[in-house]
Amino acid sequence: MSGTEHTGQQESPARLLPWTSPEGKPCYVVGDGTGYVSRLADDVETVQLRMADDLLGHADALLAERRATGAELRYLTRRLTESLRDVRRVAESRGARLAGRSDEGM
């Protein structure tokens, strides 16, 4: 018997959080999206997206100089990779939540 059959309420889907465990495994929270962990996740996602935007601006400026060193470009590539990983996780989490909302209407 699932939790929905037992209680008669629709179970909230697990939300992918914008951080991983110390072992690098995904972390999730289950709830209605109004709890402390969900609000903290919202704040972390906002910071991650803002940092990605700032990093893109930095990349544009560095690449426009045409005098960037190999070390600068490697550093930029590492930060862009980290940022892209964060943004992808935010997109996956938000996409899953949107899909869950559209399933509710069925």
Side-chain angles (χ1 to χ4, degrees):
M1 181 184 302
S2 75
T4 57
E5 294 168 354
H6 177 69
T7 64
Q9 297 175 350
Q10 184 168 352
E11 197 170 295
S12 298
R15 173 186 177 174
L16 177 64
L17 295 172
W19 56 80
T20 60
S21 72
E23 298 82 28
K25 295 182 179 182
C27 295
Y28 298 89
V29 65
V30 177
D32 63 3
T34 62
Y36 174 77
V37 173
S38 292
R39 291 191 315 273
L40 179 61
D42 290 341
D43 292 344
V44 169
E45 286 180 354
T46 298
V47 168
Q48 289 173 329
L49 294 173
R50 189 176 307 123
M51 288 174 61
D53 192 46
D54 291 346
L55 185 56
L56 285 172
H58 177 67
D60 284 339
L62 183 64
L63 294 172
E65 289 179 12
R66 296 193 174 268
R67 293 185 301 181
T69 66
E72 289 172 322
L73 293 173
R74 281 189 297 280
Y75 182 81
L76 175 63
T77 302
R78 284 189 207 109
R79 301 298 76 83
L80 286 169
T81 301
E82 292 168 356
S83 183
L84 183 57
R85 193 171 290 121
D86 290 342
V87 169
R88 183 185 67 192
R89 182 184 278 298
V90 170
E92 288 173 3
S93 178
R94 292 182 180 186
R97 285 183 279 153
L98 286 173
R101 287 185 186 144
S102 66
D103 291 344
E104 289 176 5
M106 294 183 170

